[in-house]
Amino acid sequence: MESNGTLQPCEVLVAGAYFADLVFHGLPRPVEPGGEVFADGFAWVPGGAYTPAMALRRLGRDVVWSADFGTDAFSAQVLASARREGLDASAFRHHPVPVRSVTVAMAYPGDRAMVSFQDPVAPAPLVPLLRRYRPRVLMVPQLRWDDDMVAAAEAARRLGTQVVMDCHDSPATLDDPAVRRILSLVDVLTPNAAEALRLTGAAGPEDAIAELAALVPTLVVKRGADGATAVRGGERHDVPAVPVRPVDTTGAGDCFNAGLVHGLLDGLGLPDCLAAAVVCGAAATTGPGSDAALRADELAARLPSRTPEVNTSHR
């Protein structure tokens, strides 16, 4: 890459805030108001948009992460982790005030709960970043439908950049025309099953998949223990889950997305991209936060010789 502030091409531009994840895992039961539960383990690990950026870097990808940091201890901890992982820091913005982004994650059998706090910071405009880095893929870890995101999606289309967008518990619904507009501009949408239901208001997962697949060119739905589903051009692919003994699911969705983008960058077919995504997501659950994200050789060793596709249909 050049370092003169002009054109600095990369494979993936990840745009999103960091979070410092305080993960309590091995809880025997959910925490109830007025009660106290002791966890079997605790970890303080970087999360938020750090996770897909780091996971893609571990997979050998050329990644630039656009994020904001401040004078607080959480910013310092995530920055130190980013340096250790070799992440490109050229799109980091440093502020002379605290920029705290914190999540307390409580993982118990079969589910998790989270409480988050974030100091308000307007993110860097995306269009100048796209022009500077000319990425093959723009990853947006949460559903955004603001004017800057619309302008970025339109610019990405002109530049030949694929836009991959997740939901991350967004309260948005398809009742909002602005949400429908941004979905018409993204290339790949990757909600989990609960997010797909909330977004559409559908009666069940299958109805939600059908409705979203009619709006976006490629839909990928993370379905937890039921694996994952992808739909493109009316063709559907289902891949089963990978059996693991989970410790914490906090980083699973972001690592899933990293595996998916890794496959897309390699030019793999959608079923093989989906298989890589499921393996990466499953592996991430075996450690707290994003600690267990796979490296390229580990992913290759875990992938089957043929895609474990159990259903393909046209709709």
Side-chain angles (χ1 to χ4, degrees):
M1 281 191 179
E2 299 176 17
S3 58
N4 59 2
T6 58
L7 183 61
Q8 302 181 45
C10 69
E11 288 186 300
V12 186
L13 172 62
V14 178
Y18 85 85
F19 272 86
D21 290 340
L22 282 64
V23 181
F24 295 83
H25 55 89
L27 293 172
R29 62 184 184 278
V31 180
E32 297 179 355
E36 182 179 19
V37 178
F38 274 82
D40 288 339
F42 169 79
W44 178 11
V45 293
Y50 167 89
T51 301
M54 176 275 295
L56 279 161
R57 182 71 186 124
R58 285 192 181 182
L59 291 171
R61 294 302 176 182
D62 179 17
V63 184
V64 171
W65 175 29
S66 173
D68 292 274
F69 300 94
T71 58
D72 54 284
F74 300 116
S75 290
Q77 187 254 6
V78 176
L79 281 167
S81 295
R83 285 193 293 269
R84 285 194 298 270
E85 293 289 344
L87 282 172
D88 186 315
S90 62
F92 291 171
R93 296 195 306 177
H94 300 273
H95 302 268
V97 294
V99 180
R100 298 164 297 175
S101 294
V102 188
T103 292
V104 175
M106 295 164 284
Y108 51 90
D111 211 339
R112 64 178 181 178
M114 295 186 291
V115 178
S116 297
F117 170 84
Q118 190 171 37
D119 284 316
V121 176
L126 288 173
V127 173
L129 289 169
L130 287 169
R131 290 174 178 163
R132 178 180 178 184
Y133 293 104
R134 300 293 177 96
R136 293 173 58 190
V137 173
L138 168 64
M139 287 189 74
V140 184
Q142 67 183 80
L143 182 57
R144 285 182 53 185
W145 60 98
D146 54 275
D147 290 343
D148 181 58
M149 188 66 243
V150 170
E154 292 172 341
R157 184 162 294 181
R158 292 192 296 270
L159 293 169
T161 297
Q162 289 192 75
V163 179
V164 178
M165 181 177 283
D166 206 335
C167 286
H168 273 208
D169 293 318
S170 168
T173 72
L174 296 182
D175 292 335
D176 186 340
V179 174
R180 287 183 172 270
R181 181 186 183 194
I182 197 61
L183 294 186
S184 72
L185 294 171
V186 304
D187 298 284
V188 184
L189 182 69
T190 64
N192 62 34
E195 290 163 346
L197 285 170
R198 183 165 57 247
L199 189 57
T200 60
E206 295 303 316
D207 291 337
I209 288 171
E211 188 168 356
L212 289 173
L215 294 175
V216 296
T218 300
L219 173 69
V220 178
V221 179
K222 302 179 281 276
R223 308 185 74 173
D226 293 325
T229 294
V231 185
R232 176 192 287 165
E235 187 170 312
R236 171 172 170 157
H237 309 276
D238 294 284
V239 171
V242 175
V244 293
R245 181 173 293 180
V247 172
D248 171 41
T249 61
T250 302
D254 287 318
C255 289
F256 175 104
N257 291 343
L260 179 75
V261 169
H262 180 63
L264 291 172
L265 290 168
D266 274 347
L268 301 181
L270 190 55
D272 290 315
C273 292
L274 197 60
V278 168
V279 169
C280 287
T285 70
T286 62
S290 55
D291 271 1
L294 295 179
R295 300 188 183 276
D297 57 341
E298 295 169 329
L299 172 59
R302 298 187 189 202
L303 284 173
S305 56
R306 298 185 66 182
T307 304
E309 188 179 345
V310 297
N311 177 59
T312 301
S313 59
H314 291 273
R315 297 200 171 188

